[in-house]
Amino acid sequence: MAKKDILDLVTPWMIKDGPDGDVVLSSRIRLARNLKDQPFPWHASLETREKVRTKIKKAINPEEFDFLSLEDISSLERENMMESHLLSPQIIADPAGRGVAISKDRLSSIMVNEEDHLRIQSIAPGLDLDVAMKKANAIDDQIEKVLDLAFDEKYGYLTAWPTNVGTGIRVSAMVHLPGLALTNNMPRTLNSVNQLGMVVRGIYGEGTEALGNLYQISNQRSLGRSEEEFLKDLATVATHVIGEERKIRNIVIEKNRAFLEDKVHRSLGTLKEARLIGTNEALALLSDVRLGIDLGLISDAIKPTVQALMQIIRPAHLQKYLGNNLDPEMRDYYRATVIREELAKE
Amino acid sequence: MLCDRCNLNPATVHLKTILNGIVEEKHLCQKCAKETGQLQMLNVTNPFSSFFETLLGSMEYQPTLLRSKCGVCNLTFDQFRRTGQLGCPSCYREFNNELQPILRRIQGDVTHRGKIPVRQGGNLSLKRQIEKLRDELKDLVKREEYEKAAKVRDEIKELEEKAGGNQNG
Ligand SMILES: [Zn+2]
Ligand SMILES: [Zn+2]
């Protein structure tokens, strides 16, 4: 098996700690943009989508971005990029005539012909919306210099879904909420987030599952307010959720330290010894260990490894890491092996 | 993308199952996901997109309106109602009357107050500046600061001329 260093295989923000890194994994800004005078991707022929893709490719600086036509890469590679949050489940479901530009630092990407002609996204580790916004904005400015974007004086940036019109912005924070989940407080939290005008999604976007206690909080509206206001709103809600999560963690550790210590060490033990493990179980155990590290119950020397494993154990990453086509029956065995070996390194 | 099962509603639930090495993808609408019991598997759904779907489904439209097409991309209003997506940027103008109430419901507002692109932004930047100065002017008049008010009035005039000039040019 041609194994590589797992830290090189995962998205850079996964293994970096940013502000409020004990709860927030990453901040993401997405801007939806479309070309003037072109049908939106879902309503366009393959020929038109290809034409639009060529036009956009020419407008993107090749020194900053690598451009890929999705049908030119293997489905494994596409899945891998989905697991790395560079592509959405929607775009990999039908790759023909679509593409992606990935920045050299892998912190920004531009999906081409997803639901809109352009979906610019930038990610920063931790709760750092301003940094992500600055990057996304710079990419948008650059593109606007070259391409005629669909913009209306009243409605702003025009998008395929009227739910994205206006700023075309989606501001989100990926959060790890093991404390709230452990104490059955998630329904209450989801409710209060909804009432504050935000939604909670699974980590791969709309309609995807929340595994390993990871959730994505994002704005739902896009019109009627400025980008700065949307950012401020999300930061307020995220700060509220961070506060709740920390409060619960502290209560649990004060009231029942032994219980928590036992739980996180038991999970670490299972990860270090298991011979067969599925994705969901592994993510749940890694979530416990991450919590243990963030609370100082487990040495933080293994934090980068734990963070990387959260991505590496997903099917396409696992296959790429092991460098062969995995017999699915054996996948749980290899997953357990990878986790065991990586944790033994520390 | 339309729902794999009913082919009528937009697919908002995306599922992937791997069974014996075969990846199976399913794209369902909220309704079909619920009916096939898939929604219970998901811990997290988006109340916003289901709200939008329900809203579109609940609106009553005249058959002639449903058959009317966008002059640019040929999308019928019925297609929009079923998919939730517009066909091209011009659809926003073509279906403006019908979109206004929908946007008001889902967005709470119908006016863009965010970023303005440099090249495609038209006179919007100027218009926003003028609006701001008009508010300032009202304020100054109220406070009887006429000298300052006169200055602002001149500024507005200048910007208005600029905006008008841009429109003709
Ligand atoms: Zn359906
Ligand atoms: Zn149209």
Side-chain angles (χ1 to χ4, degrees), chain B residues 5-38:
Chain B
R5 188 162 169 264
C6 65
N7 253 305
L8 285 174
N9 303 320
T12 50
V13 179
H14 305 277
L15 300 159
K16 185 168 283 184
T17 48
I18 302 171
L19 200 70
N20 297 325
I22 298 161
V23 181
E24 206 196 350
E25 281 171 27
K26 263 193 232 158
H27 307 277
L28 302 172
C29 66
Q30 296 279 331
K31 194 169 145 265
C32 289
K34 229 173 259 160
E35 281 171 15
T36 55
Q38 303 281 17

PDB file of all heavy atoms in Angstrom, chain B residues 5-38:
ATOM      1  N   ARG B   5     -37.901  10.799  -7.852  1.00  0.00           N
ATOM      2  CA  ARG B   5     -39.076   9.953  -7.668  1.00  0.00           C
ATOM      3  C   ARG B   5     -40.299  10.532  -8.379  1.00  0.00           C
ATOM      4  O   ARG B   5     -40.951   9.846  -9.139  1.00  0.00           O
ATOM      5  CB  ARG B   5     -39.344   9.778  -6.171  1.00  0.00           C
ATOM      6  CG  ARG B   5     -40.418   8.763  -5.858  1.00  0.00           C
ATOM      7  CD  ARG B   5     -40.317   8.340  -4.400  1.00  0.00           C
ATOM      8  NE  ARG B   5     -41.480   7.575  -3.981  1.00  0.00           N
ATOM      9  CZ  ARG B   5     -42.519   8.088  -3.358  1.00  0.00           C
ATOM     10  NH1 ARG B   5     -42.560   9.381  -3.102  1.00  0.00           N
ATOM     11  NH2 ARG B   5     -43.527   7.314  -2.983  1.00  0.00           N
ATOM     12  N   CYS B   6     -40.573  11.810  -8.141  1.00  0.00           N
ATOM     13  CA  CYS B   6     -41.796  12.380  -8.709  1.00  0.00           C
ATOM     14  C   CYS B   6     -41.514  13.251  -9.933  1.00  0.00           C
ATOM     15  O   CYS B   6     -42.427  13.568 -10.683  1.00  0.00           O
ATOM     16  CB  CYS B   6     -42.542  13.197  -7.654  1.00  0.00           C
ATOM     17  SG  CYS B   6     -41.644  14.657  -7.103  1.00  0.00           S
ATOM     18  N   ASN B   7     -40.255  13.638 -10.130  1.00  0.00           N
ATOM     19  CA  ASN B   7     -39.903  14.469 -11.274  1.00  0.00           C
ATOM     20  C   ASN B   7     -40.656  15.788 -11.352  1.00  0.00           C
ATOM     21  O   ASN B   7     -40.780  16.367 -12.419  1.00  0.00           O
ATOM     22  CB  ASN B   7     -40.118  13.689 -12.574  1.00  0.00           C
ATOM     23  CG  ASN B   7     -38.782  13.315 -13.166  1.00  0.00           C
ATOM     24  OD1 ASN B   7     -37.941  14.185 -13.398  1.00  0.00           O
ATOM     25  ND2 ASN B   7     -38.561  12.032 -13.359  1.00  0.00           N
ATOM     26  N   LEU B   8     -41.182  16.223 -10.241  1.00  0.00           N
ATOM     27  CA  LEU B   8     -41.996  17.441 -10.241  1.00  0.00           C
ATOM     28  C   LEU B   8     -41.362  18.537  -9.398  1.00  0.00           C
ATOM     29  O   LEU B   8     -41.280  19.686  -9.810  1.00  0.00           O
ATOM     30  CB  LEU B   8     -43.389  17.147  -9.676  1.00  0.00           C
ATOM     31  CG  LEU B   8     -44.353  16.389 -10.582  1.00  0.00           C
ATOM     32  CD1 LEU B   8     -45.618  16.048  -9.831  1.00  0.00           C
ATOM     33  CD2 LEU B   8     -44.682  17.232 -11.814  1.00  0.00           C
ATOM     34  N   ASN B   9     -40.918  18.154  -8.215  1.00  0.00           N
ATOM     35  CA  ASN B   9     -40.406  19.152  -7.270  1.00  0.00           C
ATOM     36  C   ASN B   9     -38.876  19.186  -7.294  1.00  0.00           C
ATOM     37  O   ASN B   9     -38.247  18.200  -7.669  1.00  0.00           O
ATOM     38  CB  ASN B   9     -40.875  18.812  -5.849  1.00  0.00           C
ATOM     39  CG  ASN B   9     -42.389  18.720  -5.774  1.00  0.00           C
ATOM     40  OD1 ASN B   9     -43.089  19.518  -6.391  1.00  0.00           O
ATOM     41  ND2 ASN B   9     -42.883  17.730  -5.055  1.00  0.00           N
ATOM     42  N   PRO B  10     -38.299  20.329  -6.887  1.00  0.00           N
ATOM     43  CA  PRO B  10     -36.840  20.376  -6.835  1.00  0.00           C
ATOM     44  C   PRO B  10     -36.288  19.410  -5.787  1.00  0.00           C
ATOM     45  O   PRO B  10     -36.870  19.252  -4.716  1.00  0.00           O
ATOM     46  CB  PRO B  10     -36.541  21.827  -6.441  1.00  0.00           C
ATOM     47  CG  PRO B  10     -37.807  22.344  -5.861  1.00  0.00           C
ATOM     48  CD  PRO B  10     -38.927  21.596  -6.499  1.00  0.00           C
ATOM     49  N   ALA B  11     -35.198  18.756  -6.132  1.00  0.00           N
ATOM     50  CA  ALA B  11     -34.567  17.825  -5.196  1.00  0.00           C
ATOM     51  C   ALA B  11     -33.759  18.618  -4.187  1.00  0.00           C
ATOM     52  O   ALA B  11     -32.850  19.348  -4.537  1.00  0.00           O
ATOM     53  CB  ALA B  11     -33.666  16.863  -5.955  1.00  0.00           C
ATOM     54  N   THR B  12     -34.123  18.486  -2.925  1.00  0.00           N
ATOM     55  CA  THR B  12     -33.380  19.208  -1.894  1.00  0.00           C
ATOM     56  C   THR B  12     -32.737  18.242  -0.901  1.00  0.00           C
ATOM     57  O   THR B  12     -31.976  18.642  -0.046  1.00  0.00           O
ATOM     58  CB  THR B  12     -34.296  20.182  -1.127  1.00  0.00           C
ATOM     59  OG1 THR B  12     -35.460  19.478  -0.720  1.00  0.00           O
ATOM     60  CG2 THR B  12     -34.692  21.354  -1.975  1.00  0.00           C
ATOM     61  N   VAL B  13     -33.080  16.956  -1.010  1.00  0.00           N
ATOM     62  CA  VAL B  13     -32.471  15.955  -0.134  1.00  0.00           C
ATOM     63  C   VAL B  13     -31.578  15.079  -1.010  1.00  0.00           C
ATOM     64  O   VAL B  13     -32.043  14.461  -1.960  1.00  0.00           O
ATOM     65  CB  VAL B  13     -33.545  15.093   0.558  1.00  0.00           C
ATOM     66  CG1 VAL B  13     -32.908  14.044   1.448  1.00  0.00           C
ATOM     67  CG2 VAL B  13     -34.482  15.977   1.372  1.00  0.00           C
ATOM     68  N   HIS B  14     -30.285  15.088  -0.721  1.00  0.00           N
ATOM     69  CA  HIS B  14     -29.355  14.321  -1.539  1.00  0.00           C
ATOM     70  C   HIS B  14     -28.786  13.190  -0.707  1.00  0.00           C
ATOM     71  O   HIS B  14     -28.178  13.423   0.318  1.00  0.00           O
ATOM     72  CB  HIS B  14     -28.241  15.225  -2.058  1.00  0.00           C
ATOM     73  CG  HIS B  14     -28.772  16.414  -2.785  1.00  0.00           C
ATOM     74  ND1 HIS B  14     -29.149  16.361  -4.097  1.00  0.00           N
ATOM     75  CD2 HIS B  14     -29.051  17.663  -2.353  1.00  0.00           C
ATOM     76  CE1 HIS B  14     -29.622  17.543  -4.458  1.00  0.00           C
ATOM     77  NE2 HIS B  14     -29.579  18.351  -3.410  1.00  0.00           N
ATOM     78  N   LEU B  15     -29.026  11.984  -1.163  1.00  0.00           N
ATOM     79  CA  LEU B  15     -28.608  10.830  -0.384  1.00  0.00           C
ATOM     80  C   LEU B  15     -27.605  10.010  -1.165  1.00  0.00           C
ATOM     81  O   LEU B  15     -27.674   9.918  -2.381  1.00  0.00           O
ATOM     82  CB  LEU B  15     -29.815   9.931  -0.094  1.00  0.00           C
ATOM     83  CG  LEU B  15     -30.941  10.585   0.695  1.00  0.00           C
ATOM     84  CD1 LEU B  15     -32.213   9.826   0.470  1.00  0.00           C
ATOM     85  CD2 LEU B  15     -30.579  10.625   2.161  1.00  0.00           C
ATOM     86  N   LYS B  16     -26.701   9.429  -0.432  1.00  0.00           N
ATOM     87  CA  LYS B  16     -25.736   8.573  -1.098  1.00  0.00           C
ATOM     88  C   LYS B  16     -25.591   7.315  -0.269  1.00  0.00           C
ATOM     89  O   LYS B  16     -25.371   7.375   0.932  1.00  0.00           O
ATOM     90  CB  LYS B  16     -24.403   9.313  -1.210  1.00  0.00           C
ATOM     91  CG  LYS B  16     -23.396   8.538  -1.984  1.00  0.00           C
ATOM     92  CD  LYS B  16     -22.226   9.398  -2.315  1.00  0.00           C
ATOM     93  CE  LYS B  16     -22.533  10.329  -3.464  1.00  0.00           C
ATOM     94  NZ  LYS B  16     -21.369  11.091  -3.853  1.00  0.00           N
ATOM     95  N   THR B  17     -25.771   6.199  -0.906  1.00  0.00           N
ATOM     96  CA  THR B  17     -25.579   4.955  -0.169  1.00  0.00           C
ATOM     97  C   THR B  17     -24.565   4.117  -0.927  1.00  0.00           C
ATOM     98  O   THR B  17     -24.534   4.122  -2.158  1.00  0.00           O
ATOM     99  CB  THR B  17     -26.889   4.155  -0.053  1.00  0.00           C
ATOM    100  OG1 THR B  17     -27.492   4.079  -1.350  1.00  0.00           O
ATOM    101  CG2 THR B  17     -27.859   4.811   0.904  1.00  0.00           C
ATOM    102  N   ILE B  18     -23.731   3.435  -0.191  1.00  0.00           N
ATOM    103  CA  ILE B  18     -22.768   2.546  -0.839  1.00  0.00           C
ATOM    104  C   ILE B  18     -23.114   1.131  -0.425  1.00  0.00           C
ATOM    105  O   ILE B  18     -23.122   0.796   0.760  1.00  0.00           O
ATOM    106  CB  ILE B  18     -21.325   2.896  -0.452  1.00  0.00           C
ATOM    107  CG1 ILE B  18     -21.035   4.341  -0.840  1.00  0.00           C
ATOM    108  CG2 ILE B  18     -20.339   1.965  -1.148  1.00  0.00           C
ATOM    109  CD1 ILE B  18     -19.721   4.864  -0.331  1.00  0.00           C
ATOM    110  N   LEU B  19     -23.479   0.332  -1.413  1.00  0.00           N
ATOM    111  CA  LEU B  19     -23.867  -1.031  -1.116  1.00  0.00           C
ATOM    112  C   LEU B  19     -23.069  -1.945  -2.040  1.00  0.00           C
ATOM    113  O   LEU B  19     -23.144  -1.819  -3.261  1.00  0.00           O
ATOM    114  CB  LEU B  19     -25.376  -1.194  -1.348  1.00  0.00           C
ATOM    115  CG  LEU B  19     -25.994  -2.389  -0.637  1.00  0.00           C
ATOM    116  CD1 LEU B  19     -26.033  -2.167   0.867  1.00  0.00           C
ATOM    117  CD2 LEU B  19     -27.393  -2.650  -1.170  1.00  0.00           C
ATOM    118  N   ASN B  20     -22.302  -2.843  -1.476  1.00  0.00           N
ATOM    119  CA  ASN B  20     -21.477  -3.752  -2.264  1.00  0.00           C
ATOM    120  C   ASN B  20     -20.648  -3.023  -3.322  1.00  0.00           C
ATOM    121  O   ASN B  20     -20.551  -3.450  -4.465  1.00  0.00           O
ATOM    122  CB  ASN B  20     -22.347  -4.819  -2.944  1.00  0.00           C
ATOM    123  CG  ASN B  20     -23.042  -5.668  -1.902  1.00  0.00           C
ATOM    124  OD1 ASN B  20     -22.481  -5.933  -0.841  1.00  0.00           O
ATOM    125  ND2 ASN B  20     -24.272  -6.043  -2.183  1.00  0.00           N
ATOM    126  N   GLY B  21     -20.103  -1.911  -2.943  1.00  0.00           N
ATOM    127  CA  GLY B  21     -19.207  -1.201  -3.841  1.00  0.00           C
ATOM    128  C   GLY B  21     -19.906  -0.342  -4.875  1.00  0.00           C
ATOM    129  O   GLY B  21     -19.282   0.367  -5.638  1.00  0.00           O
ATOM    130  N   ILE B  22     -21.230  -0.410  -4.903  1.00  0.00           N
ATOM    131  CA  ILE B  22     -21.949   0.409  -5.875  1.00  0.00           C
ATOM    132  C   ILE B  22     -22.501   1.638  -5.165  1.00  0.00           C
ATOM    133  O   ILE B  22     -23.226   1.536  -4.182  1.00  0.00           O
ATOM    134  CB  ILE B  22     -23.089  -0.387  -6.541  1.00  0.00           C
ATOM    135  CG1 ILE B  22     -22.494  -1.577  -7.296  1.00  0.00           C
ATOM    136  CG2 ILE B  22     -23.880   0.510  -7.490  1.00  0.00           C
ATOM    137  CD1 ILE B  22     -23.483  -2.656  -7.605  1.00  0.00           C
ATOM    138  N   VAL B  23     -22.084   2.784  -5.684  1.00  0.00           N
ATOM    139  CA  VAL B  23     -22.566   4.020  -5.084  1.00  0.00           C
ATOM    140  C   VAL B  23     -23.900   4.360  -5.717  1.00  0.00           C
ATOM    141  O   VAL B  23     -24.034   4.447  -6.929  1.00  0.00           O
ATOM    142  CB  VAL B  23     -21.578   5.179  -5.338  1.00  0.00           C
ATOM    143  CG1 VAL B  23     -22.087   6.449  -4.689  1.00  0.00           C
ATOM    144  CG2 VAL B  23     -20.204   4.819  -4.801  1.00  0.00           C
ATOM    145  N   GLU B  24     -24.894   4.506  -4.869  1.00  0.00           N
ATOM    146  CA  GLU B  24     -26.196   4.865  -5.385  1.00  0.00           C
ATOM    147  C   GLU B  24     -26.548   6.249  -4.878  1.00  0.00           C
ATOM    148  O   GLU B  24     -26.446   6.536  -3.700  1.00  0.00           O
ATOM    149  CB  GLU B  24     -27.245   3.855  -4.916  1.00  0.00           C
ATOM    150  CG  GLU B  24     -28.413   3.786  -5.861  1.00  0.00           C
ATOM    151  CD  GLU B  24     -29.619   3.110  -5.223  1.00  0.00           C
ATOM    152  OE1 GLU B  24     -29.493   2.535  -4.143  1.00  0.00           O
ATOM    153  OE2 GLU B  24     -30.684   3.200  -5.823  1.00  0.00           O
ATOM    154  N   GLU B  25     -26.932   7.101  -5.825  1.00  0.00           N
ATOM    155  CA  GLU B  25     -27.287   8.450  -5.435  1.00  0.00           C
ATOM    156  C   GLU B  25     -28.770   8.661  -5.644  1.00  0.00           C
ATOM    157  O   GLU B  25     -29.324   8.229  -6.634  1.00  0.00           O
ATOM    158  CB  GLU B  25     -26.518   9.451  -6.286  1.00  0.00           C
ATOM    159  CG  GLU B  25     -25.109   9.618  -5.807  1.00  0.00           C
ATOM    160  CD  GLU B  25     -24.287  10.428  -6.782  1.00  0.00           C
ATOM    161  OE1 GLU B  25     -24.857  11.241  -7.506  1.00  0.00           O
ATOM    162  OE2 GLU B  25     -23.070  10.216  -6.798  1.00  0.00           O
ATOM    163  N   LYS B  26     -29.371   9.319  -4.685  1.00  0.00           N
ATOM    164  CA  LYS B  26     -30.796   9.625  -4.809  1.00  0.00           C
ATOM    165  C   LYS B  26     -30.970  11.089  -4.523  1.00  0.00           C
ATOM    166  O   LYS B  26     -30.393  11.625  -3.594  1.00  0.00           O
ATOM    167  CB  LYS B  26     -31.592   8.804  -3.793  1.00  0.00           C
ATOM    168  CG  LYS B  26     -32.179   7.544  -4.376  1.00  0.00           C
ATOM    169  CD  LYS B  26     -33.199   6.968  -3.418  1.00  0.00           C
ATOM    170  CE  LYS B  26     -32.890   5.512  -3.157  1.00  0.00           C
ATOM    171  NZ  LYS B  26     -33.479   5.044  -1.910  1.00  0.00           N
ATOM    172  N   HIS B  27     -31.766  11.723  -5.368  1.00  0.00           N
ATOM    173  CA  HIS B  27     -32.050  13.136  -5.162  1.00  0.00           C
ATOM    174  C   HIS B  27     -33.554  13.269  -5.050  1.00  0.00           C
ATOM    175  O   HIS B  27     -34.267  13.030  -6.015  1.00  0.00           O
ATOM    176  CB  HIS B  27     -31.493  13.956  -6.313  1.00  0.00           C
ATOM    177  CG  HIS B  27     -30.031  13.662  -6.554  1.00  0.00           C
ATOM    178  ND1 HIS B  27     -29.040  14.261  -5.822  1.00  0.00           N
ATOM    179  CD2 HIS B  27     -29.417  12.794  -7.383  1.00  0.00           C
ATOM    180  CE1 HIS B  27     -27.870  13.783  -6.216  1.00  0.00           C
ATOM    181  NE2 HIS B  27     -28.076  12.894  -7.156  1.00  0.00           N
ATOM    182  N   LEU B  28     -34.000  13.602  -3.876  1.00  0.00           N
ATOM    183  CA  LEU B  28     -35.443  13.629  -3.640  1.00  0.00           C
ATOM    184  C   LEU B  28     -35.912  15.005  -3.177  1.00  0.00           C
ATOM    185  O   LEU B  28     -35.140  15.796  -2.651  1.00  0.00           O
ATOM    186  CB  LEU B  28     -35.814  12.596  -2.567  1.00  0.00           C
ATOM    187  CG  LEU B  28     -35.445  11.130  -2.840  1.00  0.00           C
ATOM    188  CD1 LEU B  28     -35.713  10.295  -1.606  1.00  0.00           C
ATOM    189  CD2 LEU B  28     -36.205  10.590  -4.029  1.00  0.00           C
ATOM    190  N   CYS B  29     -37.202  15.254  -3.392  1.00  0.00           N
ATOM    191  CA  CYS B  29     -37.794  16.452  -2.809  1.00  0.00           C
ATOM    192  C   CYS B  29     -38.157  16.130  -1.360  1.00  0.00           C
ATOM    193  O   CYS B  29     -38.162  14.963  -0.962  1.00  0.00           O
ATOM    194  CB  CYS B  29     -39.028  16.900  -3.593  1.00  0.00           C
ATOM    195  SG  CYS B  29     -40.407  15.759  -3.517  1.00  0.00           S
ATOM    196  N   GLN B  30     -38.473  17.152  -0.589  1.00  0.00           N
ATOM    197  CA  GLN B  30     -38.808  16.942   0.823  1.00  0.00           C
ATOM    198  C   GLN B  30     -39.955  15.942   0.969  1.00  0.00           C
ATOM    199  O   GLN B  30     -39.922  15.068   1.829  1.00  0.00           O
ATOM    200  CB  GLN B  30     -39.243  18.271   1.466  1.00  0.00           C
ATOM    201  CG  GLN B  30     -38.158  19.314   1.520  1.00  0.00           C
ATOM    202  CD  GLN B  30     -37.205  19.114   2.678  1.00  0.00           C
ATOM    203  OE1 GLN B  30     -37.578  18.583   3.710  1.00  0.00           O
ATOM    204  NE2 GLN B  30     -35.964  19.523   2.489  1.00  0.00           N
ATOM    205  N   LYS B  31     -40.961  16.100   0.082  1.00  0.00           N
ATOM    206  CA  LYS B  31     -42.174  15.301   0.193  1.00  0.00           C
ATOM    207  C   LYS B  31     -41.849  13.822  -0.044  1.00  0.00           C
ATOM    208  O   LYS B  31     -42.218  12.953   0.753  1.00  0.00           O
ATOM    209  CB  LYS B  31     -43.196  15.806  -0.839  1.00  0.00           C
ATOM    210  CG  LYS B  31     -44.593  15.288  -0.610  1.00  0.00           C
ATOM    211  CD  LYS B  31     -45.576  16.059  -1.505  1.00  0.00           C
ATOM    212  CE  LYS B  31     -46.681  15.150  -1.988  1.00  0.00           C
ATOM    213  NZ  LYS B  31     -46.419  14.575  -3.318  1.00  0.00           N
ATOM    214  N   CYS B  32     -41.119  13.544  -1.136  1.00  0.00           N
ATOM    215  CA  CYS B  32     -40.793  12.149  -1.448  1.00  0.00           C
ATOM    216  C   CYS B  32     -39.841  11.558  -0.403  1.00  0.00           C
ATOM    217  O   CYS B  32     -39.932  10.385  -0.066  1.00  0.00           O
ATOM    218  CB  CYS B  32     -40.189  12.038  -2.840  1.00  0.00           C
ATOM    219  SG  CYS B  32     -41.389  12.311  -4.145  1.00  0.00           S
ATOM    220  N   ALA B  33     -38.926  12.390   0.088  1.00  0.00           N
ATOM    221  CA  ALA B  33     -37.996  11.901   1.106  1.00  0.00           C
ATOM    222  C   ALA B  33     -38.782  11.474   2.338  1.00  0.00           C
ATOM    223  O   ALA B  33     -38.505  10.447   2.954  1.00  0.00           O
ATOM    224  CB  ALA B  33     -36.982  12.981   1.454  1.00  0.00           C
ATOM    225  N   LYS B  34     -39.796  12.272   2.678  1.00  0.00           N
ATOM    226  CA  LYS B  34     -40.625  11.955   3.829  1.00  0.00           C
ATOM    227  C   LYS B  34     -41.397  10.671   3.554  1.00  0.00           C
ATOM    228  O   LYS B  34     -41.451   9.772   4.382  1.00  0.00           O
ATOM    229  CB  LYS B  34     -41.588  13.123   4.087  1.00  0.00           C
ATOM    230  CG  LYS B  34     -41.602  13.562   5.554  1.00  0.00           C
ATOM    231  CD  LYS B  34     -42.427  14.820   5.744  1.00  0.00           C
ATOM    232  CE  LYS B  34     -41.556  16.065   5.859  1.00  0.00           C
ATOM    233  NZ  LYS B  34     -42.264  17.308   5.574  1.00  0.00           N
ATOM    234  N   GLU B  35     -41.996  10.590   2.352  1.00  0.00           N
ATOM    235  CA  GLU B  35     -42.832   9.438   2.011  1.00  0.00           C
ATOM    236  C   GLU B  35     -42.042   8.130   1.976  1.00  0.00           C
ATOM    237  O   GLU B  35     -42.559   7.075   2.296  1.00  0.00           O
ATOM    238  CB  GLU B  35     -43.529   9.660   0.659  1.00  0.00           C
ATOM    239  CG  GLU B  35     -44.744  10.560   0.782  1.00  0.00           C
ATOM    240  CD  GLU B  35     -45.317  10.961  -0.563  1.00  0.00           C
ATOM    241  OE1 GLU B  35     -44.962  10.315  -1.589  1.00  0.00           O
ATOM    242  OE2 GLU B  35     -46.086  11.921  -0.595  1.00  0.00           O
ATOM    243  N   THR B  36     -40.772   8.206   1.563  1.00  0.00           N
ATOM    244  CA  THR B  36     -39.993   6.976   1.486  1.00  0.00           C
ATOM    245  C   THR B  36     -39.214   6.737   2.785  1.00  0.00           C
ATOM    246  O   THR B  36     -38.375   5.847   2.858  1.00  0.00           O
ATOM    247  CB  THR B  36     -38.989   7.027   0.313  1.00  0.00           C
ATOM    248  OG1 THR B  36     -38.193   8.206   0.467  1.00  0.00           O
ATOM    249  CG2 THR B  36     -39.694   7.066  -1.017  1.00  0.00           C
ATOM    250  N   GLY B  37     -39.511   7.555   3.780  1.00  0.00           N
ATOM    251  CA  GLY B  37     -38.893   7.349   5.091  1.00  0.00           C
ATOM    252  C   GLY B  37     -37.435   7.757   5.153  1.00  0.00           C
ATOM    253  O   GLY B  37     -36.738   7.458   6.113  1.00  0.00           O
ATOM    254  N   GLN B  38     -36.944   8.461   4.115  1.00  0.00           N
ATOM    255  CA  GLN B  38     -35.525   8.836   4.102  1.00  0.00           C
ATOM    256  C   GLN B  38     -35.233  10.014   5.016  1.00  0.00           C
ATOM    257  O   GLN B  38     -34.109  10.196   5.449  1.00  0.00           O
ATOM    258  CB  GLN B  38     -35.070   9.192   2.686  1.00  0.00           C
ATOM    259  CG  GLN B  38     -35.279   8.091   1.676  1.00  0.00           C
ATOM    260  CD  GLN B  38     -34.216   7.018   1.756  1.00  0.00           C
ATOM    261  OE1 GLN B  38     -33.498   6.918   2.749  1.00  0.00           O
ATOM    262  NE2 GLN B  38     -34.112   6.205   0.740  1.00  0.00           N
TER     263      GLN B  38
END
